[in-house]
Amino acid sequence: ILAAALLAGYAHWTYTTSNLFAKVSGVLKAEPLNKNDTYHQKLQNIIDEVCVATGGRKIEGMVIPTSAMNAFALMDFEGRSVIGVTEGLLARLTRAQLEAVVGHEAAHIVSGDCLAPTVPTSLFALYSGLLKGLESVFRATRSSSRRGGGVLALLIAVYVLLWISRGMSHLARMFVSRQREYRADAIAARLTRDPLSLAEALYTIAYRWRGAGLAAEELESIFIVNPAYSAVDEKTGLFSDLFSTHPPLQGRLQVLLDMAHTDLERVIASMERDSGQSRSAVPPVGAPKPGIQWMVHRD
């Protein structure tokens, strides 16, 4: 049994870590930068600047074609590194804010802690995302005729394996420290010398659609902010430290605003003046933004 388990584990590790970027980018639906796209070219220029600032390390750029706002970083065992952003983030942030976000993701790569979430993501989280689609197939097959009995048994076996994989994914997240986000924020502020722009970017992302509901939601540990709002993320203590990969946004913002010698109210007022919009009341950071928002998905 031990030999079979070791063989299965080795096969799983070998298959999952080979061509890792292609597997993860496939789930994210991330694409290489388009040289003919002005926004993509702006991102490439920023990544090139960050590469120079970090000692010439080669970092590739990718985009996720969605109006959600988020960013991610990946690294494999061969030293290949990728920084990716969503089209929504690329279109809505200013250049200074985008530089701060890229600096944050570059900090994960330079410090080496980017590998910690990439490995458990590739081992387990990639497959746990299949559960959503399988559940609908499972319900359809269960309600069909008796001839689907064999197919139903196979689906049940696959479902159990994927359910175990999702459980292992949650377990693996316990080894991803929340403190890595604080460190990346600090390094980004040092790289760009602009902690205020990173605070503005984090605040803007917090009140936009971050990617909840997409397949990428399952890969939360690689993103700058959890794609789905989670109450656990906004709390402190042993339980939150174990089961959350991101620290409270309020805490991250407070550290950055202290560096910039300002406070959140003044930042919000400044952003409202720049955008021409106003809020009658400021909700708690991280809480869902009130009101109705319409979005269109191209598919």
Side-chain angles (χ1 to χ4, degrees):
I1 292 174
L2 178 61
L6 289 173
L7 183 61
Y10 177 75
H12 178 216
W13 173 271
T14 303
Y15 170 76
T16 304
T17 56
S18 64
N19 205 14
L20 187 151
F21 279 1
K23 292 184 175 70
V24 177
S25 61
V27 173
L28 296 174
K29 297 183 179 179
E31 303 171 353
L33 298 183
N34 183 353
K35 295 181 180 179
N36 298 320
D37 189 303
T38 305
Y39 286 92
H40 292 194
Q41 189 57 50
K42 178 175 69 173
L43 175 61
Q44 185 62 63
N45 292 339
I46 293 173
I47 292 176
D48 291 341
E49 292 168 5
V50 169
C51 289
V52 173
T54 56
R57 186 187 188 103
K58 181 174 176 54
I59 301 176
E60 302 173 33
M62 299 192 82
V63 291
I64 303 176
T66 174
S67 56
M69 293 188 68
N70 225 314
F72 67 93
L74 294 172
M75 177 190 292
D76 64 9
F77 291 101
E78 281 122 29
R80 185 183 174 190
S81 307
V82 167
I83 291 177
V85 304
T86 61
E87 292 280 10
L89 184 130
L90 194 55
R92 293 174 187 242
L93 294 189
T94 66
R95 181 181 174 88
Q97 293 166 354
L98 187 59
E99 286 175 351
V101 170
V102 172
H104 172 97
E105 300 302 343
H108 283 310
I109 294 172
V110 172
S111 63
D113 67 7
C114 183
L115 196 60
T118 301
V119 172
T121 293
S122 63
L123 289 175
F124 306 113
L126 287 181
Y127 308 105
S128 61
L130 297 174
L131 274 176
K132 295 179 181 178
L134 187 62
E135 286 173 352
S136 60
V137 176
F138 179 77
R139 286 192 296 267
T141 305
R142 185 174 56 182
S143 61
S144 63
S145 62
R146 296 178 182 178
R147 289 178 297 178
V151 177
L152 181 61
L154 178 61
L155 287 176
I156 291 175
V158 175
Y159 182 86
V160 170
L161 287 175
L162 291 177
W163 186 84
I164 293 174
S165 178
R166 183 168 64 176
M168 293 298 294
S169 177
H170 290 305
L171 182 63
R173 290 175 191 168
M174 296 174 63
F175 297 94
V176 179
S177 172
R178 303 174 100 190
Q179 300 303 314
R180 57 190 289 275
E181 296 298 334
Y182 284 119
R183 290 195 299 269
D185 288 345
I187 295 174
R190 188 173 62 187
L191 281 174
T192 62
R193 296 180 176 84
D194 189 5
L196 182 58
S197 290
L198 181 56
E200 291 174 346
L202 289 175
Y203 182 82
T204 302
I205 294 170
Y207 290 105
R208 298 286 185 179
W209 178 42
R210 313 174 194 174
L214 301 179
E217 179 185 354
E218 303 290 338
L219 314 183
E220 63 180 62
S221 59
I222 68 173
F223 287 97
I224 189 171
V225 176
N226 190 343
Y229 172 77
S230 172
V232 177
D233 287 346
E234 305 308 319
K235 297 179 181 178
T236 58
L238 179 61
F239 182 83
S240 297
D241 289 342
L242 285 176
F243 293 99
S244 177
T245 56
H246 293 77
L249 271 167
Q250 184 70 56
R252 296 174 68 180
L253 289 174
Q254 191 59 54
V255 172
L256 292 168
L257 294 174
D258 287 344
M259 292 181 186
H261 305 291
T262 186
D263 56 62
L264 186 58
E265 285 72 21
R266 277 188 281 183
V267 171
I268 294 172
S270 175
M271 293 173 67
E272 288 176 353
R273 286 195 302 269
D274 293 341
S275 64
Q277 299 175 348
S278 62
R279 299 186 180 92
S280 58
V282 180
V285 173
K289 184 178 178 181
I292 298 175
Q293 295 184 11
W294 292 93
M295 310 202 82
V296 177
H297 193 284
R298 66 177 185 179
D299 293 331

